[in-house]
Amino acid sequence: GENVEQHPSTLSVQEGDSAVIKCTYSDSASNYFPWYKQELGKGPQLIIDIRSNVGEKKDQRIAVTLNKTAKHFSLHITETQPEDSAVYFCAATFGRAGSYQLTFGKGTKLSVIP
Amino acid sequence: DTAVSQTPKYLVTQMGNDKSIKCEQNLGHDTMYWYKQDSKKFLKIMFSYNNKELIINETVPNRFSPKSPDKAHLNLHINSLELGDSAVYFCASSQFQNQPQHFGDGTRLSIL
């Protein structure tokens, strides 16, 4: 099955600095890569996603890049704020039409220090 | 209005009991899911339903039985609860497969 590796497992940055989280996947047929933010006591919330026909996508302070050849994708958060502190998960699709499923990375706990 | 709602939010029960968790989505989505998040925060798919039909059934003990009375609801029934079942269970939905998934806020299940 699909395997998604996520690094680092914890990340501390100063407020205003940038944060980068990296993921690699194993199934070359994967074509959808979402990123989720999970705050304490809440469910994962989709913050950005990218499909395999696109190399980069940006939404305000958040961007995702995808390198299909190397099978890795990254989340970039610029001008970090304390409210960005949370656990972030990357995910990749696995399977074929009719039975797609998401495989998640193990998460990155981001702490933004005021 | 909450898009994906789960009840109860907390469930504390004894080993061996049977319990159910309910999930409802008001997004008009066709596909619903159950995930298990363990103590290390690892999220793993358990089941996926598309328009009331089971399409994914991962390696889950048959003590877990999902039921979808209609496409807006996906309930999870667990028989003979074991200590290892303690986790947070999340329901999610998406318009179709391979589309953005929206998660509920989870049900924290604790087995005594």
Side-chain angles (χ1 to χ4, degrees), chain B residues 38-77:
Chain B
D38 63 21
S39 57
K40 294 185 178 178
K41 296 282 193 184
F42 184 52
L43 264 169
K44 187 165 168 49
I45 183 80
M46 298 174 70
F47 301 102
S48 173
Y49 267 73
N50 189 58
N51 214 359
K52 302 196 309 174
E53 288 190 24
L54 181 67
I55 52 173
I56 292 170
N57 182 358
E58 282 297 288
T59 309
V60 175
N62 57 15
R63 299 181 295 104
F64 290 80
S65 53
K67 285 197 170 47
S68 182
D70 55 61
K71 75 173 193 177
H73 295 84
L74 181 62
N75 303 323
L76 183 64
H77 189 76

Side-chain angles (χ1 to χ4, degrees), chain A residues 56-75:
Chain A
E56 184 174 358
K57 185 176 177 181
K58 191 173 180 182
D59 182 3
Q60 299 180 6
R61 296 186 297 109
I62 294 172
V64 57
T65 58
L66 171 65
N67 183 327
K68 281 196 305 181
T69 304
K71 290 191 280 188
H72 64 71
F73 56 115
S74 301
L75 178 71

Side-chain angles (χ1 to χ4, degrees), chain A residues 31-32 36 38 40-46 49 51 87 89 93 96-102 104-106, chain B residues 9 33 35 37 40-45 48 55-56 58 90 97-106:
Chain A
N31 60 12
Y32 176 60
Y36 285 86
Q38 186 177 21
L40 202 60
K42 298 284 189 182
Q45 180 186 12
L46 180 72
D49 57 8
R51 296 202 178 264
V87 179
F89 292 95
T93 49
R96 301 295 179 262
S99 63
Y100 286 118
Q101 65 185 72
L102 279 181
F104 284 82
K106 293 191 174 179
Chain B
K9 190 170 175 63
Y33 313 82
Y35 287 87
Q37 186 171 49
K40 294 185 178 178
K41 296 282 193 184
F42 184 52
L43 264 169
K44 187 165 168 49
I45 183 80
S48 173
I55 52 173
I56 292 170
E58 282 297 288
F90 287 100
Q97 288 184 68
N98 216 22
Q99 293 291 317
Q101 293 185 22
H102 299 255
F103 283 75
D105 280 338

